[in-house]
Amino acid sequence: MLTRELTSQSLPFLRLHDKVYQALELMNENRVAHLPVVDGDKFIGILSEQDLLQAENDNASLDSFEQSFSTVSVKEEEHFLKAVQLAADNGLSVVPVVTEENELLGTVAYNDLLKFSSEFMSLSEPGGLIVLEMESNQYSFNDISKLVETTNAQITQLNTSNDPQTAMMQVTLRINKPDISDIVAAFQRHEYNVKYFFGIPLSQFLKWGI
């Protein structure tokens, strides 16, 4: 899903001649801590509530805060997970979406990004979750996939991440059936380190620290 498909036109934007108090009112009304600033149609940055609250004069115009503008944004052709990454890395409540010409197309709220992420990972669908831990040079998608398929199951999602402190890789698998005890047993027989696993619904805690 591309970011342009997620943009909201209901969230407002700010202009350089707007006043501090006006910007704070808009943020409060829309329950966000950030809003994009435009000059004409051009995106020039994003301003935070924290910066505005430090203003000595509520009637000051926003152009006096240009040094505080963050230029973080995503292009309309980028995958929405890029917006999720930017929001998380920069602590943003909204992410501006811009065109190749740097015109503001709209914004995506962080709460909406979480909802889209849940849908993208099919978290509401029946299934199971397994997390493996291994050395990165031991990772083989083909081996993992074949092992899962021997239990008449399929991997519907696979994500990897690396722990910078231990250099260990974590492989998170979404499986298309809720009863995954046979898959966990198969991984253990093949000497995989099953760090933990869950059944669906995900709120049902099955086992930890195997």
Side-chain angles (χ1 to χ4, degrees), residues 45-63:
I46 188 168
L47 193 57
S48 73
E49 180 183 42
Q50 183 178 2
D51 289 329
L52 293 172
L53 289 173
Q54 295 175 1
E56 296 180 358
N57 183 1
D58 284 351
N59 286 298
S61 58
L62 300 185
D63 56 7

Side-chain angles (χ1 to χ4, degrees), residues 37-124:
V37 185
V38 298
D39 184 4
D41 292 328
K42 297 291 184 180
F43 168 73
I44 57 174
I46 188 168
L47 193 57
S48 73
E49 180 183 42
Q50 183 178 2
D51 289 329
L52 293 172
L53 289 173
Q54 295 175 1
E56 296 180 358
N57 183 1
D58 284 351
N59 286 298
S61 58
L62 300 185
D63 56 7
S64 62
F65 287 84
E66 283 197 66
Q67 73 278 3
S68 301
F69 291 175
S70 169
T71 57
V72 172
S73 65
V74 292
K75 300 295 186 184
E76 61 177 323
E77 297 292 338
E78 291 186 288
H79 195 275
F80 89 93
L81 289 179
K82 178 67 174 180
V84 175
Q85 176 192 352
L86 289 179
D89 290 348
N90 296 277
L92 298 178
S93 56
V94 300
V95 179
V97 180
V98 300
T99 66
E100 288 296 330
E101 293 74 31
N102 209 42
E103 294 178 348
L104 181 67
L105 188 65
T107 54
V108 185
Y110 184 62
N111 287 342
D112 289 335
L113 288 172
L114 290 179
K115 181 184 71 175
F116 294 131
S117 297
S118 176
E119 294 174 355
F120 176 73
M121 292 185 287
S122 304
L123 294 184
S124 61

